[in-house]
């Protein structure tokens, strides 16, 4: 029965539908649920660090129900995207409801769009990767497919990674750096890939440019078919989605740096280079994203068999609560800098501050 706990993810969809059907403060239903109810539950419920046995893993990896869950989540994002565009068109942008529904769908986009796109983007099947790119496009963040898989996983914990938060770096400045440099990084990665294959950069072979054109076409279609007001709502929801993603990146790697072992090389990525959370609510809603340490050491391991490692640094609570904590930088630094010093001593703080 433990496999069915991933159905908790679809409560995000249910609350988003509720937001679309209500007005005023109730239109913020998804926001209130994700960052009010869920953090409270994770403070009450204990973390579960247990792992499956090898024999259990062998069974779980072949169970197609887990793929059904993740594909159903993708379908919910595509369906609600269309629903959102039609629904928000009837709302006056001067009303609180306009903001509530836009932000609620933005949270849905962060969970069922970007998070699910992240999981599918690591699959080896090309059709799943295409679904991932489609999901990421609903947040106007399709370049993440390139930068995350070919950049972040290679450069995590080094000065070359836009998505690794520096020691004492506030989340607000991190947003600006991660978003801007992430786009630039994705373009450079694709440019270098094409050069190695001796293909022209400005051509149909350039995945980065194709994804940018698809997103531009999406924006034009929304404007033409729904108008300026809906376009603004879409931009608001998309921005909410990708800022949630970058906040997750912030909490996953804050202050953890890989040591430089030679002039051109850093130590290999291991389970100590990501913050881990075993809090069961966040794990279930986010398809085990919070078992991030194992994900970085084994990026192709499917979500249902990601493991806990004792040597991984542990977050004090789950993702929803940690994301709220980032919004108050002095409080974040008070909690997390202390944990970094406890993990590695003051030396780690000095090492982490070099990731600039």
């Amino acid at each position: 029965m433990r496999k069915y706990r991933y159905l908790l993810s679809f409560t995000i969809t249910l609350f988003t539908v509720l937001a679309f059907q209500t007005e005023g403060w109730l239109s913020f239903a998804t926001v209130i649920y994700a960052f009010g109810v869920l953090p409270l539950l994770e403070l009450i419920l204990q973390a579960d660090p247990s792992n499956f046995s090898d024999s259990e893993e062998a069974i779980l990896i072949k169970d197609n129900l887990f793929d059904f869950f993740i594909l159903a989540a993708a379908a919910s994002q595509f369906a609600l995207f269309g629903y959102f565009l039609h629904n928000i068109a009837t709302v006056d942008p001067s009303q609180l409801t306009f903001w509530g529904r836009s932000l609620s769908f933005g949270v849905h986009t962060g969970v069922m769009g970007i998070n699910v796109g992240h999981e599918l983007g690591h699959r080896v099947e090309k059709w799943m990767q295409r679904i991932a790119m489609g999901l990421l496009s609903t947040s106007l963040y399709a370049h993440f497919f390139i930068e995350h898989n070919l950049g972040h996983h290679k450069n995590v914990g080094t000065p070359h990674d836009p998505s690794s938060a520096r020691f004492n770096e506030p989340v607000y400045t991190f947003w600006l750096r991660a978003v801007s440099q992430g786009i630039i990084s994705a373009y450079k990665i694709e440019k270098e890939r094409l050069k190695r294959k001796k293909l022209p950069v400005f051509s149909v072979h350039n995945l980065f440019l194709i994804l940018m054109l698809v997103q531009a076409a999406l924006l034009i279609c929304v404007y033409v078919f729904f108008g300026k007001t809906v376009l603004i709502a879409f931009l608001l929801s998309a921005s909410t989605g990708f800022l949630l993603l970058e906040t997750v990146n912030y909490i996953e790697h804050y202050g953890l740096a890989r040591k430089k072992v030679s002039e051109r090389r850093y130590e290999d990525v291991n389970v100590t280079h990501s913050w881990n959370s075993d809090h069961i609510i966040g794990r279930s809603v986010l398809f085990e994203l919070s078992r991030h340490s194992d994900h970085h050491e084994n990026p192709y391991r499917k979500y249902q068999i990601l493991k806990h490692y004792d040597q991984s640094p542990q977050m004090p609570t789950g993702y929803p609560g940690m994301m709220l904590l980032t919004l108050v930088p002095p409080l974040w630094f008070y909690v997390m800098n202390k944990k970094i010093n406890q993990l590695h001593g003051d030396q780690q703080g000095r090492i982490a501050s070099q990731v600039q």
Side-chain angles (χ1 to χ4, degrees):
M1 292 298 292
R2 289 175 64 181
K3 69 177 72 174
Y4 294 105
R5 62 185 173 84
Y6 297 111
L7 291 173
L8 276 175
S9 184
F10 295 94
T11 58
I12 297 292
T13 300
L14 291 176
F15 275 92
T16 305
V17 172
L18 174 63
F20 290 173
Q21 297 300 316
T22 53
E23 298 181 352
W25 287 107
L26 283 177
S27 64
F28 289 85
T30 316
V31 181
I32 295 168
Y33 174 66
F35 296 106
V37 177
L38 295 185
L40 286 175
L41 289 175
E42 292 202 309
L43 285 175
I44 297 169
L45 301 176
Q46 289 187 337
D48 179 12
S50 63
N51 291 323
F52 292 110
S53 66
D54 291 343
S55 59
E56 288 173 323
E57 278 192 20
I59 295 172
L60 292 171
I61 199 66
K62 296 177 182 178
D63 191 335
N64 291 329
L65 183 62
F66 295 103
D67 283 349
F68 172 78
F69 287 154
I70 206 78
L71 292 172
S76 76
Q77 172 64 13
F78 289 129
L80 258 66
F81 179 62
Y83 183 18
F84 170 69
L85 296 179
H86 284 87
N87 181 278
I88 204 69
T90 64
V91 182
D92 189 321
S94 65
Q95 296 178 352
L96 185 65
T97 302
F98 179 86
W99 293 89
R101 292 181 185 178
S102 298
L103 293 178
S104 284
F105 182 64
V107 173
H108 192 277
T109 296
V111 176
M112 304 301 240
I114 298 180
N115 179 52
V116 173
H118 165 260
E119 172 68 22
L120 292 175
H122 279 287
R123 300 298 178 90
V124 296
E125 297 88 349
K126 294 297 182 184
W127 65 273
M128 286 193 176
Q129 293 179 8
R130 293 188 183 97
I131 293 175
M133 288 182 266
L135 289 170
L136 294 168
S137 295
T138 63
S139 63
L140 303 176
Y141 226 60
H143 69 276
F144 175 83
F145 177 82
I146 299 170
E147 206 291 319
H148 179 81
N149 291 309
L150 302 177
H152 175 63
H153 273 270
K154 174 184 176 183
N155 298 319
V156 63
T158 76
H160 309 293
D161 180 34
S163 296
S164 290
R166 290 40 166 150
F167 191 74
N168 278 335
E169 180 179 23
V171 71
Y172 303 108
T173 56
F174 172 79
W175 283 348
L176 295 173
R177 181 174 61 79
V179 172
S180 59
Q181 293 186 17
I183 295 172
I184 295 170
S185 175
Y187 172 74
K188 289 181 177 179
I189 289 169
E190 187 65 0
K191 180 181 177 181
E192 291 302 314
R193 183 185 74 84
L194 293 172
K195 281 188 175 181
R196 288 195 300 271
K197 292 191 172 185
K198 297 182 179 179
L199 293 170
V201 174
F202 295 97
S203 68
V204 295
H205 303 289
N206 191 318
L207 180 59
F208 176 86
L209 294 181
I210 290 173
L211 293 174
M212 293 302 104
L213 288 173
V214 167
Q215 291 181 162
L218 180 58
L219 288 169
I220 293 170
C221 287
V222 170
Y223 178 75
V224 169
F225 290 105
F226 296 97
K228 182 174 69 175
T229 297
V230 176
L231 178 62
I232 293 171
F234 174 35
L235 291 172
L236 180 58
S237 70
S239 299
T240 302
F242 69 67
L243 287 180
L244 288 176
L245 161 69
E246 294 301 355
T247 305
V248 166
N249 276 331
Y250 180 87
I251 67 174
E252 287 172 339
H253 301 289
Y254 172 76
L256 299 176
R258 288 156 62 194
K259 295 178 182 177
K260 200 167 187 178
V261 295
S262 70
E263 187 63 29
R264 296 184 179 181
R265 185 174 172 272
Y266 291 85
E267 64 178 319
D268 292 340
V269 178
N270 60 56
V271 295
T272 68
H273 298 129
S274 305
W275 291 96
N276 191 72
S277 170
D278 289 314
H279 293 79
I280 200 67
I281 299 294
R283 285 174 54 193
S284 303
V285 171
L286 296 173
F287 295 103
E288 301 291 354
L289 179 67
S290 60
R291 282 202 159 177
H292 206 65
S293 301
D294 188 20
H295 170 70
H296 264 278
E297 186 159 90
N298 302 284
Y300 296 105
R301 191 192 296 274
K302 291 185 176 181
Y303 73 91
Q304 66 265 31
I305 58 170
L306 287 171
K307 297 180 178 181
H308 163 89
Y309 289 90
D310 290 336
Q311 60 267 46
S312 299
Q314 301 296 317
M315 295 181 185
T317 187
Y319 272 28
M322 294 300 294
M323 293 170 75
L324 287 176
L325 190 63
T326 67
L327 302 181
V328 187
L331 187 56
W332 170 267
F333 297 145
Y334 175 79
V335 173
M336 296 306 293
N337 289 4
K338 185 184 296 185
K339 288 188 72 66
I340 289 174
N341 291 334
Q342 288 173 349
L343 283 168
H344 302 291
D346 291 337
Q347 181 183 5
Q348 172 63 23
R350 292 192 294 272
I351 293 171
S353 66
Q354 297 170 9
V355 186
Q356 300 175 2

